[in-house]
């Protein structure tokens, strides 16, 4: 599978598409299309060469081993703001994804697919053997926790870090239930909440799933497409600016409608704004995540 129309194929996209078709039962492993994809994956280094986000999603589903030590430790979230490597120095987009990932990588959380299907045949090495060893370690850990109680099992330092990551996540859920209005961050958030004890039917998880469904658009032919984030502010601002650059007067009704749409969506008084008023986000569902790109696009259209 391709990432762009003009490339010859993309390893991570191919692994994700292949795994999706296999786990959902839409295609069997021996189907000609799947065999061709398998050959492509192995020819390009196997699952081991996939992008880190692909590996994280595979690891969450028990299809790829978590690293023994997650590259970014959970305790980064506890570092003071003044330190250059602390969590709070990262961009909002990075924080939205890594708050849940710090939890997941630290706990090495796994929610195995009920089918029990594996993708060992997509590995170019024997790295998949680590999955069995990690499963044994998790089982022993689970028994110890039941014997000692979760409170005794975790150090106070670890509990505080987990609580801080959880608090950051909960404080940045948008009105539609998603984390910062990003599909990818919301996926990781759902897994992270399950990892720390939330139930699948918890209100926050249900709202997150409803928010993700609201991002689905129907394409020609009835295909559904899940956007990573709606881009209504970005698209409207760029379109309004382009119309004016093409010679449409600012008084034109199309431009005026765009301006009436954009003005109320400025993040006045948002949590992220420094001086009581802020910029614009990517979509109307963003309420506390203004960014430079969308703010400059809105300002170009307005001026």
């Amino acid at each position: 599978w391709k990432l762009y129309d003009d490339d010859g194929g993309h390893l991570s996209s191919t692994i994700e598409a292949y795994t999706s078709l296999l786990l959902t039962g839409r295609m069997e492993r021996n189907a000609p299309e799947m065999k061709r994809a398998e050959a492509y994956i192995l020819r390009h280094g196997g699952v081991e060469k996939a992008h880190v986000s692909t590996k994280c999603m595979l690891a969450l589903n028990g299809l790829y081993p978590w690293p023994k030590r997650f590259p970014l430790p959970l305790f980064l979230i506890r570092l003071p703001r003044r330190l250059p490597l602390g969590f709070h120095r990262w961009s909002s987009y990075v924080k939205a994804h890594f708050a849940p990932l710090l939890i997941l990588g630290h706990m090495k959380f796994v929610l195995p697919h009920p089918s029990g299907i594996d993708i060992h045949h997509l590995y170019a090495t024997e790295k998949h053997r680590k999955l069995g060893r990690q499963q044994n370690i998790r089982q022993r850990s689970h028994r110890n926790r039941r014997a000692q109680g979760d409170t005794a099992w975790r150090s106070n330092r670890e509990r505080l870090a987990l609580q801080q990551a959880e608090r950051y996540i909960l404080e940045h859920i948008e009105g539609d239930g998603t984390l910062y209005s990003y599909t990818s961050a919301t996926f990781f958030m759902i897994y992270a909440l399950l990892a720390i004890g939330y139930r699948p039917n918890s209100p926050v998880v249900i709202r997150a799933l409803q928010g993700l469904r609201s991002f689905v658009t129907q394409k020609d032919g009835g295909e559904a497409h899940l956007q990573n984030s709606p881009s209504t502010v970005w698209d409207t601002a760029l379109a309004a600016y382009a119309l004016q650059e093409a010679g449409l007067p600012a008084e034109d009704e199309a431009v005026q409608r765009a301006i009436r749409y954009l003005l109320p969506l400025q993040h006045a008084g948002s949590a992220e704004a420094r001086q009581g008023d802020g910029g614009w986000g990517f979509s109307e569902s963003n309420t506390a995540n203004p960014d430079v790109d969308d703010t400059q696009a809105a300002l170009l259209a307005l001026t």
Side-chain angles (χ1 to χ4, degrees):
W1 278 265
K2 299 179 180 181
L3 187 61
Y4 303 105
D5 286 340
D6 59 353
D7 69 23
H10 186 259
L11 178 61
S12 294
S13 299
T14 303
I15 292 169
E16 292 174 9
Y18 180 101
T19 305
S20 299
L21 290 169
L22 188 66
L23 292 184
T24 56
R26 294 296 297 273
M27 276 198 172
E28 297 291 332
R29 176 179 167 180
N30 291 326
E33 298 91 340
M34 298 289 271
K35 296 301 290 185
R36 282 166 41 215
E38 178 184 336
Y40 175 88
I41 292 168
L42 293 174
R43 192 164 63 247
H44 288 82
V47 178
E48 297 91 328
K49 295 293 184 181
H51 189 272
V52 63
S53 64
T54 301
K55 290 178 178 177
C56 284
M57 284 304 297
L58 292 174
L60 287 170
N61 289 276
L63 300 171
Y64 191 84
W66 283 105
K68 188 174 182 180
R69 295 189 182 279
F70 196 62
L72 294 172
L74 171 67
F75 305 109
L76 280 176
I77 202 164
R78 297 276 297 157
L79 292 180
R81 291 176 181 269
R82 65 179 181 275
L83 296 181
L85 295 177
F87 174 84
H88 298 286
R89 288 297 190 97
W90 301 344
S91 71
S92 58
Y93 181 84
V94 173
K95 285 187 288 190
H97 288 78
F98 272 91
L101 276 173
L102 288 175
I103 294 173
L104 294 167
H106 178 76
M107 299 183 70
K108 297 179 173 51
F109 181 70
V110 173
L111 194 64
H113 194 272
S115 68
I117 290 174
D118 64 63
I119 55 170
H120 296 173
H121 55 289
L122 300 184
Y123 282 74
T125 68
E126 294 292 302
K127 190 169 186 175
H128 59 81
R129 296 191 181 279
K130 291 184 178 180
L131 285 167
R133 294 196 292 271
Q134 287 191 356
Q135 177 66 23
N136 291 334
I137 292 171
R138 281 193 295 271
Q139 288 174 347
R140 289 198 300 271
S141 173
H142 183 64
R143 286 195 296 268
N144 287 337
R145 291 186 188 196
R146 282 192 300 180
Q148 300 180 26
D150 193 60
T151 303
W153 178 257
R154 298 193 187 283
S155 68
N156 187 55
R157 185 164 166 256
E158 183 182 10
R159 284 199 304 275
L160 289 173
L162 286 170
Q163 289 169 2
Q164 189 162 338
E166 177 188 6
R167 186 164 58 250
Y168 180 88
I169 291 170
L170 296 178
E171 289 175 353
H172 291 86
I173 294 175
E174 293 286 4
D176 60 5
T178 63
L179 181 58
Y180 266 137
S181 295
Y182 296 127
T183 292
S184 48
T186 305
F187 269 125
F188 290 133
M189 175 188 78
I190 292 171
Y191 280 101
L193 294 177
L194 295 176
I196 57 178
Y198 285 72
R199 306 298 299 172
N201 60 353
S202 298
V204 65
V205 175
I206 297 298
R207 284 180 55 237
L209 291 170
Q210 292 170 341
L212 291 178
R213 291 191 186 99
S214 74
F215 289 1
V216 175
T217 61
Q218 296 297 321
K219 300 173 66 177
D220 293 340
E223 291 183 3
H225 172 68
L226 176 60
Q227 308 167 86
N228 194 44
S229 181
S231 55
T232 45
V233 172
W234 175 249
D235 295 341
T236 302
L238 291 181
Y241 176 66
L243 288 172
Q244 293 175 83
E245 283 291 290
L248 209 62
E251 295 76 23
D252 186 271
E253 177 59 18
V255 177
Q256 287 299 309
R257 285 175 61 200
I259 301 311
R260 289 196 296 270
Y261 173 80
L262 291 171
L263 280 174
L265 295 175
Q266 186 181 17
H267 292 189
S270 70
E272 299 289 336
R274 299 294 179 86
Q275 303 298 329
D277 57 356
W280 279 260
F282 194 55
S283 68
E284 57 191 84
S285 55
N286 290 140
T287 60
N289 186 24
D291 62 73
V292 173
D293 290 348
D294 297 293
T295 300
Q296 62 88 19
L299 290 174
L300 284 172
L302 292 169
T303 55

